[in-house]
Amino acid sequence: MSGDAQISRLKPGRRTNIRRENERAILDAAEKVFAEAGFGGATMQLIADMAGLPKANLHYYFATKEDLYRKVVQQIFEIWLDAASSFDDAPGPVEGIGAYIDAKMDISRTHPHGSKVWASEVMHGAPVIQDYLETTLRDWTNGRIAVIQRWIDEGKMRPVNPRHLLYMLWATTQHYADFGHQIQTLNNGKPLSDKQWEEAKASVKDMVLRGIGAI
């Protein structure tokens, strides 16, 4: 009996939990495989092996490799979007940008593979997610630019270019994921400890917030 058939015989609540667990395992495995092999080098079989599931189960959840890839990219972007919620209700850049840096760097620590998949996709001209960049990302960016410009107009920070400030924030915070191996090598071959992560976040926030005249 196939795994899908076995799931269908379970009680509805249990079926939902198993499907959620399987989808989580597939997405975690896909992040790693896409990050290491790229879209072209990744195969559904490699992802199935990494997830510890039969290949048929992957096709039950994701019909094609592109569907799975888009879900991986969408997932990391949605996590980043959630991190940016700090902008919406923050009274100023100290609270808004400070919380955003904290959240983005935490994500770089917990989701390094997703960040690498996004970076690789964009560096190759976004062949799969160009539509996402032209819609969702553009709208989100314009919204954050408006918030930053409001803070500038209110005299809460220096009159910097909001768009380039965002680019710098993305580059700095995602560096800790995309170039994690380099950071680990320069840290005597060891991943950053909890203390080092907190020191890194504090340093980045201090440099950025002082640089834009917010503190």
Side-chain angles (χ1 to χ4, degrees), residues 1-10 18 22 53-58 60-61:
M1 183 183 295
S2 71
D4 298 337
Q6 290 176 336
I7 290 175
S8 68
R9 298 180 60 185
L10 297 172
I18 290 177
N22 284 348
L53 294 169
K55 182 181 176 182
N57 280 33
L58 264 68
Y60 174 76
Y61 293 97

Side-chain angles (χ1 to χ4, degrees), residues 30 55 67 174:
K55 182 181 176 182
D67 288 342
Q174 288 159 231

Side-chain angles (χ1 to χ4, degrees), residues 14-105:
R14 180 60 178 154
R15 286 202 303 268
T16 299
N17 288 338
I18 290 177
R19 284 172 177 158
R20 187 178 297 117
E21 291 168 4
N22 284 348
E23 185 170 337
R24 177 75 268 148
I26 292 168
L27 288 171
D28 286 347
E31 271 193 4
K32 295 176 183 176
V33 173
F34 285 132
E36 293 172 1
F39 179 77
T43 66
M44 294 296 264
Q45 187 62 61
L46 277 173
I47 295 168
D49 292 343
M50 178 74 73
L53 294 169
K55 182 181 176 182
N57 280 33
L58 264 68
H59 290 289
Y60 174 76
Y61 293 97
F62 301 97
T64 66
K65 183 174 74 168
E66 181 170 324
D67 288 342
L68 178 52
Y69 181 80
R70 287 185 67 90
K71 182 63 177 179
V72 167
V73 174
Q74 178 185 345
Q75 176 180 254
I76 188 63
F77 186 64
E78 289 177 349
I79 291 171
W80 285 337
L81 284 182
D82 186 60
S85 63
S86 61
F87 273 85
D88 299 331
D89 301 317
V94 173
E95 299 84 1
I97 294 175
Y100 183 54
I101 291 171
D102 276 338
K104 281 294 302 299
M105 289 187 66

